[in-house]
Amino acid sequence: MKKSYTRISMAALAVLAASVSVTGCGSSKSSADKDNELYVYNWGEYIDESVISQFEEETGIKVIYDMFETNEEMYPIIEAGAISYDAVCPSDYMIQKMVQNDLLAELNFDNIPNIKEIDPLYLQMASTAFDPENKYAVPYTWGDLGILYNDKRLEELGIDPPTKWSDLWDERLSGELLMQDSIRSAFTIALTKNGYSLNTTNPDEIAIAKNDLIAQKPLVQAYVVDQVRDKMIGGEAAIGVMFSGDAIYVIGENPDLDYVIPEEGTNVWIDGWVIPKNAPNKENAEKFIDFMCRPDVALKNFEYITYGTPNTAARELIEDEDLKNSPIAFPDLTQYNNLETFLYLGEDGEELYNKYWKEVMSN
């Protein structure tokens, strides 16, 4: 959600250029070649690369792999259809938007028998929030948005460890705060702080959150996405807003760091595998999704990306007891109030948030 403009990966541009070149020459790949391909579009650093090689070796299917940085970057690429991806990994609200705009194919679960490994809790979360009949998506990872803080640096500043979103407006944090460069995540913080739903479309509530974000700006060292990890590991800031999976990784790299889910509530999210309606290799995509649901494969991915796995059997295979029982990776959600999953707010809702975010950034 970092940028409002479209950025396509260099790999994707190369694929597009190649396809145009082939078409212009009047030639095309054989159907046999196409049958052995799979085009995957996923977040950066969001898969153990050995898993891709393993899938290729076991199936003989060649994976062409591209990456995106935000849901908002990914969506127009899929909508335009110039590059036909087979398997894509959006977040909950973006899956809902893709379903509503008829961009996704229904999954054939006869080809995904390992769906049985996914904890029904996460299928229920999906059906409640963004995939009512569990027809379009298979949960891949899940987590929450919280506050990562540096105990040592806060002590030097004379500030107690944060427990609430409202603590991120402490004037003593000037230049010590890393905020998410993401529209929905940034507004989650300000909306939830004020007791509003993170899915509100009430212009007055969003305007109040906007004004709070503008008032907070003098404290903000930088608005970041993936860069928050290296900055917090390096001790460059006292506090960084971060997703739980990243928090597990950075805490392992810097013992001065800790993580908290704010008292006012937060966003609990699910990312899932989907298949675009124009996918040229739908059965290959279903083989891939089924492969990703295999416990040993899900375990590899969890150990690499450290985001919570919805795969029950994979969690049982985790050998590190501290990680297996980590309250960051696997929090007891019943202990927290006001946890919400992002919903797609419609074009008018998106336009309103985009408008107010531009005002935040321009002030």
Side-chain angles (χ1 to χ4, degrees):
M1 290 172 275
K2 184 177 75 169
K3 298 179 175 69
S4 58
Y5 60 83
T6 300
R7 182 186 69 81
I8 184 169
S9 68
M10 293 304 295
L13 282 171
V15 171
L16 179 58
S19 67
V20 171
S21 174
V22 167
T23 303
C25 292
S27 61
S28 62
K29 292 184 178 181
S30 70
S31 59
D33 287 338
K34 291 181 179 179
D35 287 344
N36 289 323
E37 290 181 342
L38 177 73
Y39 285 80
V40 178
Y41 204 22
N42 193 12
W43 302 80
E45 296 293 322
Y46 215 40
I47 195 171
D48 184 329
E49 291 185 6
S50 71
V51 163
I52 299 174
S53 300
Q54 185 179 349
F55 177 76
E56 290 179 325
E57 290 169 5
E58 290 188 16
T59 64
I61 296 170
K62 172 67 177 175
V63 176
I64 298 89
Y65 192 88
D66 289 336
M67 294 174 285
F68 57 87
E69 195 169 52
T70 68
N71 283 293
E72 283 68 24
E73 173 190 328
M74 173 276 302
Y75 181 83
I77 303 300
I78 301 302
E79 183 182 40
I83 305 171
S84 299
Y85 287 102
D86 300 304
V88 184
C89 188
S91 300
D92 34 43
Y93 73 99
M94 193 56 70
I95 294 172
Q96 184 184 13
K97 179 178 180 178
M98 295 169 86
V99 170
Q100 289 187 14
N101 290 328
D102 197 30
L103 294 179
L104 299 183
E106 290 189 22
L107 300 175
N108 179 357
F109 286 98
D110 289 341
N111 294 332
I112 312 174
N114 282 321
I115 187 71
K116 69 180 186 297
E117 306 294 354
I118 303 299
D119 189 327
L121 169 66
Y122 302 102
L123 294 173
Q124 182 182 351
M125 287 174 63
S127 65
T128 300
F130 59 90
D131 187 8
E133 298 178 58
N134 291 126
K135 295 195 299 186
Y136 297 98
V138 172
Y140 176 50
T141 59
W142 70 282
D144 53 74
L145 182 70
I147 303 171
L148 186 84
Y149 60 93
N150 187 313
D151 270 318
K152 183 177 179 181
R153 195 150 180 146
L154 287 177
E155 185 177 349
E156 293 169 352
L157 294 168
I159 303 175
D160 292 332
T163 60
K164 305 184 294 294
W165 288 125
S166 58
D167 292 333
L168 304 190
W169 274 258
D170 188 324
E171 292 182 357
R172 292 172 294 176
L173 286 173
S174 179
E176 294 285 344
L177 176 61
L178 299 172
M179 279 285 287
Q180 281 284 310
D181 193 1
S182 158
I183 299 174
R184 293 296 297 269
S185 294
F187 271 96
T188 286
I189 297 165
L191 288 167
T192 308
K193 174 181 81 72
N194 289 304
Y196 304 140
S197 168
L198 53 82
N199 291 307
T200 185
T201 54
N202 182 319
D204 294 334
E205 294 177 351
I206 302 171
I208 290 171
K210 173 204 73 175
N211 291 332
D212 281 349
L213 290 172
I214 291 173
Q216 185 198 52
K217 283 190 72 175
L219 311 180
V220 178
Q221 179 190 120
Y223 294 89
V224 291
V225 183
D226 293 338
Q227 304 94 322
V228 67
R229 294 177 296 206
D230 289 339
K231 283 181 172 290
M232 291 303 292
I233 290 170
E236 296 180 34
I239 287 179
V241 177
M242 184 174 284
F243 296 107
S244 52
D246 286 335
I248 294 170
Y249 168 72
V250 299
I251 289 171
E253 297 293 315
N254 185 336
D256 294 329
L257 301 175
D258 207 346
Y259 179 83
V260 64
I261 296 176
E263 293 174 5
E264 303 102 326
T266 193
N267 168 230
V268 175
W269 50 266
I270 296 177
D271 289 347
W273 289 106
V274 300
I275 300 177
K277 209 162 192 178
N278 67 340
N281 304 291
K282 184 173 184 287
E283 288 191 8
N284 288 354
E286 288 167 343
K287 287 180 184 177
F288 178 75
I289 294 171
D290 185 60
F291 179 79
M292 297 293 277
C293 291
R294 212 169 74 187
D296 61 313
V297 174
L299 175 66
K300 272 189 180 182
N301 281 321
F302 168 72
E303 291 177 337
Y304 180 79
I305 62 179
T306 62
Y307 278 97
T309 176
N311 192 301
T312 304
R315 184 175 177 185
E316 290 302 315
L317 292 173
I318 299 171
E319 295 182 357
D320 184 326
E321 289 298 320
D322 289 339
L323 190 55
K324 187 175 184 176
N325 300 305
S326 167
I328 301 176
F330 303 104
D332 179 359
L333 298 181
T334 64
Q335 302 301 307
Y336 300 93
N337 297 316
N338 303 320
L339 302 178
E340 293 186 81
T341 299
F342 282 143
L343 301 177
Y344 170 52
L345 304 177
E347 291 185 8
D348 290 343
E350 282 192 344
E351 184 177 339
L352 191 59
Y353 277 87
N354 287 336
K355 171 190 171 185
Y356 283 140
W357 181 245
K358 288 176 183 176
E359 291 184 27
V360 172
M361 292 292 99
S362 63
N363 272 278

